[in-house]
Amino acid sequence: MKIGDRVRLMKGTEEGIVVKMLDKSLVEVEIEDGFAIPVLESELVVVSADESTAFDMPKYESQKPTKQKTVYEQANQLKGFHLAIIPLNDHLNSIYFLNPSKDDILILANEINGKNEERTILSEKIFAEKFSKITERNMDHLNTWSPLSFTILTENSKWSIPMRPEKITVKIKAKHFQKEKTEIPFLHKKGFLIPLNQSSTETIDPEKIDVDKLKDSFFKGNEETQSFKSMGKNNTHIPEIDLHIENIDPNYEKLPKEDILRIQLSKFEEKLNEAFMAGLDEIIFIHGVGNGVLRNNIHKQLSQHDNIQFFKDTHKEKFGYGATLVKIK
C-alpha cells in the first residue's frame, strides 16, 4: 500500500485515497466527504485499477518513485513548484504541494502568525514529479488564512556543490479563486493552481555569529539583569534570566495560558543556547513558584541536555523554589 492508492474500508462502504503514511501499519485516508482519518492497513483493501475505470473513479499518482515518467494532462507542463487547492465540499479545501521537477526535494511547510512566528505543519520528502498534501482550510474563513512558508532543499543525485535552501512565502487570497477550476496534474481533480515562482522567494544563507556582539547583547533589557553583564568562564558573577511573562511580552494579559508557557520556554531555550555559545560556566533562570508547571518543564528539558553538568534550586532565601542554577560542562 502506498500514497495515492484508492482504498476501501473492509468494515464499511467508505472509500478514499491514501494521503499519508503515519506508521508502519497506519495510514491516513481522505474519504469522499473530505475528511482524513487514520486507519490500520489491515482494515483496508486496495481498489483495483479495473474497478476504478469501470466506476469512473478518479486516479491519483503515487508519491513512490517509479521508472515511468509522469504524463501531464495539460498541454503545457508545469514549470516550478505549485500549490493546488482542491475543493472537497462547499466549505472545506485541501491544499497540496506539487513538485513537477526532476529532482527529489525535502520540504518544511510552516504557518506564519501575526507576530511573524512560524509553526511547522509538514516536513517530509517529496519525490520528483509527485505531490504531498499540506493542510486543509475552510473557505468561510479565507480572510483569516495564515500565510504559508516553504523551505525547500533539493537533493543531490550526483556529486556536486550543494544548493542553498530556498524559502518561498505565499499568502492565499481571493484572487487565486477568480479563475475557473482546471484539471490538476498528478491529482486528476478540478481545482485551482498557484505558481510559487510568483511568490516571495529568498535563498537562506548560513548565519554568522559574532561572539562579542552576542555577549554584549545577552543581558540588554530588564533592570534585574543589568548587574550581571560580566560573562565568560572564571567570572565571579552568575548571570540571571528572568522568565516572568511580563518581562518578555508586555501584552501577556491577552494571551491564553498555553501560549504564555510556550513563550517562556522559548525564551529559556534561547538564553540557554546563548549561554552555551558564550562559554558560560553557570547561569540562573528565575521562573517563579506559581503552580510549578514552568519549573517542571525547565527541569525536564535540562535533564535531557548533554551539555549540563547539573542543575538545582538556588537563592531560596530570595526566590524560594522560584529559581534554578544551571552548571554547564
Side-chain angles (χ1 to χ4, degrees):
M1 193 170 295
K2 58 186 181 296
I3 294 176
D5 282 346
R6 173 169 284 278
V7 294
R8 180 183 298 122
L9 274 66
M10 297 177 65
K11 297 181 180 179
T13 59
E14 295 90 348
E15 292 187 5
I17 302 297
V18 177
V19 294
K20 186 177 293 186
M21 310 301 290
L22 299 175
D23 203 344
K24 292 182 179 179
S25 59
L26 191 67
V27 300
E28 185 174 294
V29 178
E30 184 179 293
I31 55 180
E32 293 299 327
D33 54 3
F35 293 100
I37 56 174
V39 187
L40 291 172
E41 284 192 37
S42 58
E43 297 179 358
L44 295 171
V45 59
V46 178
V47 179
S48 68
D50 293 338
E51 185 177 348
S52 297
T53 303
F55 290 95
D56 194 26
M57 296 177 180
K59 299 177 182 178
Y60 276 65
E61 292 286 343
S62 165
Q63 183 171 308
K64 185 177 180 180
T66 63
K67 294 182 179 179
Q68 296 180 347
K69 290 187 176 181
T70 301
V71 178
Y72 294 96
E73 294 196 355
Q74 295 178 342
N76 298 324
Q77 292 188 343
L78 293 180
K79 295 182 179 179
F81 304 120
H82 282 67
L83 290 185
I85 303 177
I86 307 295
L88 300 173
N89 49 47
D90 292 339
H91 305 282
L92 202 59
N93 295 267
S94 288
I95 301 178
Y96 292 84
F97 188 99
L98 308 184
N99 175 25
S101 71
K102 303 295 183 181
D103 299 309
D104 298 341
I105 62 172
L106 302 176
I107 180 174
L108 181 71
N110 288 351
E111 288 182 319
I112 307 174
N113 65 14
K115 297 181 180 179
N116 210 32
E117 299 171 330
E118 301 194 13
R119 179 177 71 91
T120 300
I121 56 177
L122 179 77
S123 57
E124 67 180 36
K125 177 176 180 176
I126 303 181
F127 294 105
E129 299 185 337
K130 303 299 175 184
F131 68 91
S132 184
K133 182 177 177 179
I134 302 298
T135 185
E136 292 180 354
R137 294 284 178 87
N138 192 320
M139 196 67 180
D140 297 338
H141 307 132
L142 175 61
N143 292 334
T144 63
W145 285 12
S146 300
L148 298 172
S149 74
F150 301 96
T151 303
I152 304 165
L153 181 62
T154 302
E155 288 194 345
N156 290 353
S157 57
K158 299 179 181 179
W159 288 102
S160 62
I161 298 175
M163 297 179 62
R164 295 264 176 89
E166 179 182 11
K167 187 171 184 178
I168 301 174
T169 303
V170 60
K171 170 68 174 175
I172 300 175
K173 302 179 180 179
K175 67 177 183 180
H176 294 120
F177 300 91
Q178 292 176 353
K179 296 181 180 180
E180 291 186 3
K181 288 186 286 188
T182 184
E183 187 78 12
I184 304 297
F186 310 115
L187 299 173
H188 302 281
K189 279 192 172 184
K190 294 285 187 179
F192 303 93
L193 274 175
I194 301 178
L196 294 181
N197 58 0
Q198 298 177 6
S199 305
S200 174
T201 305
E202 60 180 301
T203 301
I204 301 177
D205 294 320
E207 184 177 358
K208 296 181 180 179
I209 299 175
D210 188 322
V211 177
D212 293 330
K213 282 187 177 180
L214 178 64
K215 290 181 178 181
D216 291 340
S217 64
F218 195 82
F219 291 102
K220 287 181 179 178
N222 303 323
E223 293 181 0
E224 291 85 349
T225 60
Q226 291 305 307
S227 60
F228 297 96
K229 295 179 180 178
S230 299
M231 303 185 64
K233 294 187 177 295
N234 303 318
N235 212 309
T236 57
H237 295 296
I238 304 175
E240 294 181 359
I241 300 297
D242 194 336
L243 297 176
H244 285 89
I245 188 62
E246 58 267 24
N247 294 321
I248 302 175
D249 190 335
N251 300 316
Y252 71 96
E253 294 179 351
K254 301 178 182 179
L255 297 173
K257 291 182 179 180
E258 56 270 18
D259 282 356
I260 291 177
L261 179 61
R262 177 181 56 80
I263 292 171
Q264 289 174 309
L265 289 174
S266 177
K267 177 62 67 174
F268 159 72
E269 293 172 359
E270 174 190 336
K271 292 304 180 182
L272 182 62
N273 288 330
E274 288 180 359
F276 291 154
M277 290 186 288
L280 294 184
D281 275 331
E282 296 176 326
I283 185 172
I284 293 174
F285 289 99
I286 304 170
H287 44 69
V289 179
N291 56 14
V293 175
L294 179 58
R295 174 182 179 271
N296 292 340
N297 275 273
I298 288 174
H299 284 195
K300 181 180 178 180
Q301 292 196 31
L302 289 172
S303 66
Q304 298 170 350
H305 263 289
D306 295 332
N307 295 327
I308 302 301
Q309 186 171 341
F310 66 83
F311 59 91
K312 65 178 182 179
D313 295 313
T314 188
H315 291 347
K316 291 183 180 180
E317 70 284 354
K318 182 178 180 181
F319 300 112
Y321 290 94
T324 296
L325 169 69
V326 180
K327 178 69 174 179
I328 301 173
K329 290 181 178 178

